[in-house]
Every structure is written in structure tokens, then in C-alpha cells.
Amino acid sequence: MKVYVTILFLCSWLIFHAQINLVPNPSFDNIDSCPYSVEQGAFASPWFNPTHPPNDLYNSCSSQINCSVPLNWLGFQYPRSGLGYSAIGVYGYTYNGVDNRREYLASVLLSQLELGKMYCVSFYVSLADSSYWSINRLGMYISQNLVSDNLNIDTLSVIPQIYHDTLEILSDTSVWVRIYGIYTAIGGERYITIGNFYADNQTDTIANKYNSWFVAYYYIDDVAVYELAACEAG
């Protein structure tokens, strides 16, 4: 517990002292066009889904229930900050007749990570109200090269360096839950990818019998990668 409290304090200290966030468009507020339907996550460039189909984007500029804020077709949630957020289906998702499809969020960083340096990494999630499933597996994979496979219909076969405590199901639909950790760079990392990187038999779930949309679907907001200087790390 002491380790996690220290990490949380250091990450909060970095943000308070206005260090540079290496994640571009971290709260999905800078958009090329106002979303008017689902699968328009690419409007919040440079974010994209490295597999398929495109992720969803929600913004207060939209008058369409499919993608409006705070009320939209799958729930009610205000952005943690700014005007909008993105969202992905991470378990039980069916697309073009294929079951248990995974969606991911990916972006290129503003600059490469440097060998041996430590970085505070975090993002926030909130389960959509209409999700039938809630799960325990959400994380971020940090890489030198883009992890992409448009033919992949299931799970990206990489291990995330930053991930949620797997003993707890992410089931809160009212507040934003922070997933965070400290990452030591191997040098040259340029990409981040967010999602569920674990197979169905490695993912714990809770079902909400009152909901009929058989998916674990999470809103994502405020993604951050900050350098953690040696003096700040102790």
C-alpha cells in the first residue's frame, strides 16, 4: 500500500507543478469535426484504434444522442475534464458476427521516452451505464513501434506495463477511476495503447442482469505520461 500511495503522490505532484504531458490531445477535446455517429474516434487526432473498428468519441458539441455529452446512447457521464472523452468495448464485443472483439485506443507521443528515465503514467476510466459486463483488466502498453493488426479479431498479444489492480472489478459508472503507475523507459518508446490485453479466460467479470447490451464498455479520459525526475523519485 505504501508504494501505491507514494506513486499517487508523485504523479499528483508532477501534474500540479505543470510538467509536460507527452500525450497529445490527452482529454480528446481537440477535434477535427464534431462527432455525429459512432466509430468516429479518429476525429480526436492523433488518437485511433490500431485494430478495427474505429473507437467511439463523445463531445458536448454534438446534438446526436449517439455521441453527445453528458447523455449518450450508452449512459450518462460528464467528462473528467474538458468537453469530451473517448470510449472502447473491451469484453464481449461482437463486430461483423465475430464474438469477443477487443477495441483499443492508441496514440503517438509528443517525444520519445529516454533510456533509464522514469515516467508517471495514468488514465481515467468509467463504466458506461448500459454495459452488461464490468471487468478487472484494463491497462496501457508502451512501445517503440505501433502495435497494430487489422486482421486480429481478438486480443493484442502484448503485456501492458501499466495496468489496473486485477483483484478489483472496474464497475463504477458514476465516478472516474484512475489507473496509474511508474514506468522505466528502455529508450525510444513512441506509442501508447490502452485496452484489455488479456484473453477471456484471464479476465474476471461481473454481469449486470438489468442491462441488455452484452459488452464491457468504458469511457476513457485524461491520459498522461510525465517524466519523473530522479530527485522527485527519491
Side-chain angles (χ1 to χ4, degrees), residues 36-58:
Y36 53 86
S37 184
V38 296
E39 299 184 2
Q40 294 180 332
F43 285 1
S45 60
W47 289 98
F48 64 97
N49 185 349
T51 55
H52 194 76
N55 52 284
D56 298 327
L57 178 67
Y58 300 89

Side-chain angles (χ1 to χ4, degrees), residues 26-28 35 37-39 41 47 55-60 64-81 83-91 103-105 122-135 137-139 164 170-179 194-196 211 213 215-223:
S27 57
F28 309 94
S37 184
V38 296
E39 299 184 2
W47 289 98
N55 52 284
D56 298 327
L57 178 67
Y58 300 89
N59 194 282
S60 60
Q64 303 298 317
I65 191 63
N66 280 352
C67 42
S68 58
V69 168
L71 177 65
N72 52 67
W73 70 301
L74 287 175
F76 184 96
Q77 181 60 280
Y78 287 99
R80 184 181 178 273
S81 68
L83 302 174
Y85 42 77
S86 188
I88 48 178
V90 295
Y91 181 87
E103 287 184 327
Y104 297 92
L105 266 176
S122 65
F123 61 99
Y124 288 81
V125 303
S126 181
L127 181 70
D129 295 294
S130 296
S131 290
Y132 182 85
W133 299 105
S134 53
I135 71 168
R137 295 284 197 178
L138 279 177
H164 174 66
L170 293 160
S171 58
D172 204 316
T173 59
S174 60
V175 302
W176 290 94
V177 178
R178 191 184 197 193
I179 298 175
I194 296 172
N196 177 13
N211 292 338
W213 200 58
V215 176
Y217 187 82
Y218 287 86
Y219 304 129
I220 311 290
D221 204 359
D222 286 341
V223 187

Side-chain angles (χ1 to χ4, degrees), residues 92-105:
Y93 182 58
T94 300
Y95 183 75
N96 283 349
V98 178
D99 293 333
N100 289 346
R101 184 67 191 247
R102 301 284 192 266
E103 287 184 327
Y104 297 92
L105 266 176

Side-chain angles (χ1 to χ4, degrees), residues 10-231:
L10 290 172
C11 292
S12 300
W13 188 96
L14 282 172
I15 295 172
F16 180 77
H17 285 77
Q19 299 291 317
I20 297 175
N21 187 0
L22 297 180
V23 178
N25 201 6
S27 57
F28 309 94
D29 290 334
N30 298 324
I31 55 178
D32 302 324
S33 180
C34 188
Y36 53 86
S37 184
V38 296
E39 299 184 2
Q40 294 180 332
F43 285 1
S45 60
W47 289 98
F48 64 97
N49 185 349
T51 55
H52 194 76
N55 52 284
D56 298 327
L57 178 67
Y58 300 89
N59 194 282
S60 60
C61 69
S62 179
S63 60
Q64 303 298 317
I65 191 63
N66 280 352
C67 42
S68 58
V69 168
L71 177 65
N72 52 67
W73 70 301
L74 287 175
F76 184 96
Q77 181 60 280
Y78 287 99
R80 184 181 178 273
S81 68
L83 302 174
Y85 42 77
S86 188
I88 48 178
V90 295
Y91 181 87
Y93 182 58
T94 300
Y95 183 75
N96 283 349
V98 178
D99 293 333
N100 289 346
R101 184 67 191 247
R102 301 284 192 266
E103 287 184 327
Y104 297 92
L105 266 176
S107 180
V108 61
L109 297 173
L110 294 174
S111 63
Q112 296 183 7
L113 304 189
E114 299 183 37
L115 172 65
K117 287 191 174 182
M118 300 173 67
Y119 295 84
C120 178
V121 180
S122 65
F123 61 99
Y124 288 81
V125 303
S126 181
L127 181 70
D129 295 294
S130 296
S131 290
Y132 182 85
W133 299 105
S134 53
I135 71 168
N136 66 329
R137 295 284 197 178
L138 279 177
M140 178 190 294
Y141 181 64
I142 305 167
S143 57
Q144 295 172 327
N145 301 307
L146 174 63
V147 180
S148 178
D149 186 357
N150 287 326
L151 299 179
N152 183 21
I153 59 173
D154 192 9
T155 309
L156 288 176
S157 56
V158 296
I159 300 175
Q161 301 95 336
I162 306 299
Y163 51 87
H164 174 66
D165 182 353
T166 57
L167 298 178
E168 180 184 358
I169 300 292
L170 293 160
S171 58
D172 204 316
T173 59
S174 60
V175 302
W176 290 94
V177 178
R178 191 184 197 193
I179 298 175
Y180 61 92
I182 298 294
Y183 174 71
T184 302
I186 61 173
E189 294 95 326
R190 300 180 56 230
Y191 293 93
I192 56 174
T193 306
I194 296 172
N196 177 13
F197 300 89
Y198 294 90
D200 290 353
N201 61 6
Q202 297 175 309
T203 302
D204 293 335
T205 63
I206 293 179
N208 184 343
K209 63 181 180 180
Y210 299 106
N211 292 338
S212 58
W213 200 58
F214 294 95
V215 176
Y217 187 82
Y218 287 86
Y219 304 129
I220 311 290
D221 204 359
D222 286 341
V223 187
V225 176
Y226 289 95
E227 182 185 340
L228 182 62
C231 61

